[in-house]
Amino acid sequence: VGCDRSKNLVDICGEKNFQAFVCDALSVPIRSGSCDACISIAVIHHFSTAERRLAAICEIARILRPGGTALIYVWAMEQKYKNQKSKYLKEKNDSKDKEEEINTGMAQRPLSDQMPDSSSQDSACSNLLLNDSKDEGCGAKPVADSRLPVHTNRTSFHSQDVLVPWHLKGGTKKKGDSVDTVSFPAGSRESQECSPVFHRYYHVFCEGELEAACQSLDCVRVQKSYYDQGNWCVVLEKL
């Protein structure tokens, strides 16, 4: 069974005969100790404070049965690791690639690719204010004036806390439309003139950060921690 904050995405799951429901990752309506396994993919990096990110991990641990396991993926600050660029950095989309992006569909592509495209004009800072202090690590630069920088797609990160532009296709998404119809190629006239741009918050994790958060909990044991194409990943076992 799956869950998501977005009702529209849950509706798509229902149309495909998958079991899914709308909920908050910080308050999952599932009985404690009732799940054999949990998977959290590209979710926890959207929480804006260390306390909320830890609370999300605690909620995963709560619903696991003793001996149950969980897999967690978050976006990594290190898009170049052990002298190897992630696929996210390697794919410098030319116009042909961007046209194919619409047809390929983001949901079918690797996790590190399931990130919205941005145009160069989005590289200015957002005026969104942060209430929590910024972490400084991995060579990250502190955010000036507590403003969040807007990330430029297919580039390295210069801050752990960023906004990533999400270009929606013009018009309202109709029921029955597939997921891969909602994005325009970056820099296209349509994306600049017709499509609204939303800025999604991301906290990109430094090496060891996710593992350390998990190890701070007495009720779980870290079985495995690894890097996978621009993502930090942890496998947990409930004690």
Side-chain angles (χ1 to χ4, degrees):
V1 62
C3 56
D4 198 277
R5 184 73 173 184
S6 167
K7 181 181 182 301
N8 289 341
L9 290 179
V10 169
D11 287 345
I12 291 171
C13 291
E15 292 167 3
K16 297 179 180 293
N17 296 318
F18 294 117
Q19 297 183 61
F21 59 90
V22 176
C23 82
D24 188 326
L26 299 183
S27 181
V28 180
I30 293 178
R31 189 176 69 251
S32 298
S34 61
C35 295
D36 295 312
C38 295
I39 300 174
S40 174
I41 304 294
V43 173
I44 294 177
H45 57 214
H46 287 299
F47 289 112
S48 61
T49 67
E51 291 77 13
R52 288 169 67 81
R53 293 188 286 271
L54 183 60
I57 298 172
C58 287
E59 190 68 351
I60 291 172
R62 179 187 66 79
I63 63 178
L64 280 175
R65 66 165 176 79
T69 56
L71 172 65
I72 300 174
Y73 264 63
V74 294
W75 214 1
M77 177 86 175
E78 301 87 351
Q79 290 299 309
K80 185 176 181 181
Y81 185 67
K82 293 184 177 179
N83 296 320
Q84 295 290 325
K85 289 184 178 180
S86 68
K87 192 170 182 180
Y88 175 75
L89 290 185
K90 285 180 180 178
E91 291 192 352
K92 299 291 185 180
N93 294 338
D94 57 26
S95 57
K96 181 180 179 181
D97 290 331
K98 291 167 186 173
E99 290 173 0
E100 292 174 351
E101 233 173 58
I102 298 178
N103 298 322
T104 301
M106 296 178 73
Q108 300 175 8
R109 294 166 58 192
L111 175 68
S112 59
D113 282 351
Q114 293 181 23
M115 304 300 171
D117 287 316
S118 62
S119 59
S120 58
Q121 66 187 25
D122 290 318
S123 60
C125 282
S126 165
N127 288 325
L128 183 64
L129 297 179
L130 286 180
N131 292 323
D132 58 320
S133 62
K134 298 278 89 51
D135 296 327
E136 295 182 30
C138 310
K141 297 178 181 178
V143 180
D145 301 325
S146 298
R147 293 184 297 176
L148 286 176
V150 177
H151 178 63
T152 300
N153 198 44
R154 308 292 174 184
T155 64
S156 297
F157 292 103
H158 301 292
S159 173
Q160 279 192 270
D161 298 280
V162 296
L163 296 177
V164 179
W166 182 273
H167 297 262
L168 288 182
K169 194 170 183 177
T172 304
K173 184 176 182 296
K174 298 178 181 178
K175 185 176 181 181
D177 285 352
S178 61
V179 160
D180 59 355
T181 62
V182 298
S183 64
F184 267 125
S188 67
R189 174 176 294 182
E190 291 88 349
S191 70
Q192 295 177 20
E193 296 181 359
C194 302
S195 62
V197 179
F198 297 91
H199 293 96
R200 303 181 71 195
Y201 171 83
Y202 285 81
H203 172 84
V204 290
F205 280 68
C206 288
E207 181 174 8
E209 184 179 353
L210 176 61
E211 184 177 5
C214 295
Q215 288 175 336
S216 70
L217 303 179
D218 295 332
C219 58
V220 298
R221 177 176 67 88
V222 175
Q223 285 187 333
K224 187 179 181 182
S225 179
Y226 60 97
Y227 180 88
D228 180 22
Q229 284 297 333
N231 301 280
W232 286 113
C233 322
V234 162
V235 179
L236 301 177
E237 179 185 5
K238 177 72 171 289
L239 301 177

